[in-house]
Each structure stands twice: as structure tokens, then as C-alpha cells.
Amino acid sequence: MELERIVRAALLAFVQTHLPEADLSGLDDVIFSYVLGVLGDLGPSGPSEENFDMEAFTEMMEAYVPGFAHIPRGTIGDMIQKLSGQLSGARNKEPL
């Protein structure tokens, strides 16, 4: 599915940019599905304090990518905002 491909590419690129020495072998379909689910809950407006738990997201990512918790929260939030917009645009392009 296109949405999963977008999440996979964006998350891998983000981690490689901010943690170039990170072992990405732990990133599997479970974490990509989790991120897709989190982003699906956000809607087109992106993350806010009411609809996005940064702490829970960071803890989950830290479990799969040690060092993720050291990435500044603002940087993670920017990535989530951008990815949410990309997914929203991709959903609008998918045939019904």
C-alpha cells in the first residue's frame, strides 16, 4: 500500500539523518504499522497536545531505535507534521 511505503521511507530517512549510526534492522512492519496508525489518528491538522502523545511515541521508537529519545522533541514533531501532511495528500489521491 502506498501509505505504508511513505511511512517506511520517511521514517528510515529521518532516523538515518538524525542517528546515522543507528541499527535499522529492528524497524519492521510492526513499527511502521504503529506509526501509520498514530498518524491516521491525527487527521489532516497534524499533531496537537490533544491528539498526539509525544512521550508515548518517543518511548515506542526508542524501543526499536536506541537513541531515538535523544532527538529533540521539536524535530520529531516537525517530522510527524510533515508526514501527516504527506499521508493526507496520498489518501486524497487514492481511488475510492
Side-chain angles (χ1 to χ4, degrees):
M1 177 184 238
E2 178 71 12
L3 299 178
E4 292 171 4
R5 185 191 64 73
I6 291 169
V7 168
R8 180 180 300 268
L11 198 54
L12 288 172
F14 181 78
V15 171
Q16 287 174 332
T17 297
H18 296 283
L19 299 169
E21 302 299 319
D23 177 11
L24 301 178
S25 64
L27 293 175
D28 59 13
D29 290 339
V30 172
I31 195 65
F32 296 126
S33 293
Y34 165 76
V35 173
L36 187 57
V38 166
L39 293 171
D41 291 343
L42 297 181
S45 63
S48 70
E49 288 185 30
E50 295 86 35
N51 67 3
F52 183 69
D53 185 345
M54 177 66 78
E55 196 64 34
F57 180 80
T58 302
E59 285 179 20
M60 176 65 100
M61 292 303 301
E62 177 71 19
Y64 281 84
V65 182
F68 193 89
H70 297 292
I71 299 172
R73 300 291 192 262
T75 303
I76 295 170
D78 290 346
M79 181 269 298
I80 293 295
Q81 179 77 37
K82 181 179 176 186
L83 188 50
S84 179
Q86 287 176 330
L87 292 177
S88 181
R91 280 188 192 104
N92 291 336
K93 292 179 183 177
E94 283 188 351
L96 297 176

